[in-house]
Amino acid sequence: MSDRLAAAQAALNAGRKDEAIEHLIAAVNEDPARAVQVYRVLVIQLYSAGRYPEGEAFAAQALQRHPRDYDLLNTRGVLLRKLRRQAEAVPLFEQAIKLNTKARAAQHNLSNVLLDLGEAARAETVYTKLVRTEPRNSEFQRQLGRALAKQGKIDPALMRFRQAVILKRDSVEAWLGLAGLLSEEHRRGEAEAALEQALKANPDNPRLL
């Protein structure tokens, strides 16, 4: 391990993340042919620090040398979404999925970006596959509900939101999705009942007050 990388590791171990980032940046600038793991750590640390433009730039640099790295493709896609460059993120997630069809992260992230872009039908297709694989995942159920609702498939969407809150009673996002959709459909009594149930499950959450 080089002195730069040793210093970065020591800083990370001590919780000095900003210092670690600077050592890692210096390391890859001095030697762009660093191992892929060095780039992965740097990009994740930049993401965690909220330094999204730098993280995306270093992820792009890393992918020039490691174009088939699942983690870098997925993380760069996430960073692009943070930068509101969702259309650029789509092919990265798609490439990552081709490399590892069983991993969930890129599939989940792709669906989120598709929803951002208003491509609800494509998002529904991906989330349907995820739900079949993990039917007890509340977040997948909720996001499938969102995709269905955006297409006007109200009853199937409500079913997914209800399933999400059954699986995870403290999922405020799922409760709000359920109540919001009921309200949009002018089913105010049901919407109010859903919010009452949400408050019972999450009595101290300010978003439900």
Side-chain angles (χ1 to χ4, degrees):
M1 181 182 292
S2 73
D3 291 343
R4 286 286 191 193
L5 297 182
Q9 187 62 59
L12 283 174
N13 292 343
R16 301 191 304 274
K17 294 184 178 181
D18 289 340
E19 179 185 334
I21 288 171
E22 298 314 311
H23 285 303
L24 289 166
I25 289 174
V28 298
N29 284 340
E30 290 170 1
D31 181 7
R34 295 283 185 184
V36 66
Q37 184 60 24
V38 176
Y39 281 101
R40 288 177 189 157
V41 173
L42 172 57
V43 170
I44 287 295
Q45 290 301 318
L46 288 168
Y47 173 83
S48 298
R51 294 165 62 173
Y52 305 137
E54 291 173 276
E56 190 278 325
F58 277 108
Q61 178 180 325
L63 284 167
Q64 290 179 352
R65 293 182 173 275
H66 309 281
R68 294 178 59 80
D69 187 84
Y70 177 94
D71 291 331
L72 286 171
L73 287 164
N74 183 56
T75 306
R76 187 185 176 208
V78 171
L79 286 160
L80 286 167
R81 187 185 185 212
K82 288 289 187 181
L83 295 169
R84 300 184 182 278
R85 293 161 56 188
Q86 287 95 328
E88 295 175 61
V90 170
L92 294 171
F93 291 136
E94 290 176 336
Q95 187 178 348
I97 292 166
K98 288 179 182 178
L99 291 170
N100 189 341
T101 58
K102 294 183 179 180
R104 306 282 176 260
Q107 296 180 57
H108 184 29
N109 290 326
L110 172 61
S111 297
N112 285 337
V113 166
L114 291 173
L115 285 175
D116 292 343
L117 295 170
E119 298 188 37
R122 289 182 65 192
E124 178 192 351
T125 298
V126 181
Y127 271 122
T128 297
K129 293 177 181 177
L130 289 170
V131 165
R132 284 175 183 162
T133 304
E134 293 186 40
R136 298 190 61 79
N137 187 305
S138 174
E139 179 63 8
F140 292 167
Q141 294 281 358
R142 180 184 79 86
Q143 294 285 40
L144 178 53
R146 288 184 64 215
L148 291 164
K150 285 179 180 290
Q151 299 173 80
K153 300 177 181 179
I154 304 305
D155 287 339
L158 290 171
M159 182 189 75
R160 295 300 177 178
F161 283 127
R162 290 190 174 108
Q163 186 64 24
V165 298
I166 289 170
L167 291 168
K168 197 171 188 293
R169 301 290 291 177
D170 62 351
S171 175
V172 174
E173 293 290 345
W175 282 113
L176 290 174
L178 174 60
L181 185 55
L182 287 167
S183 181
E184 289 173 12
E185 292 300 303
H186 307 291
R187 295 161 64 170
R188 290 194 173 85
E190 292 176 77
E192 290 173 2
L195 286 174
E196 287 178 9
Q197 290 180 301
L199 277 168
K200 288 180 182 178
N202 306 272
D204 300 320
N205 194 295
R207 298 179 64 192
L208 297 171
L209 299 177

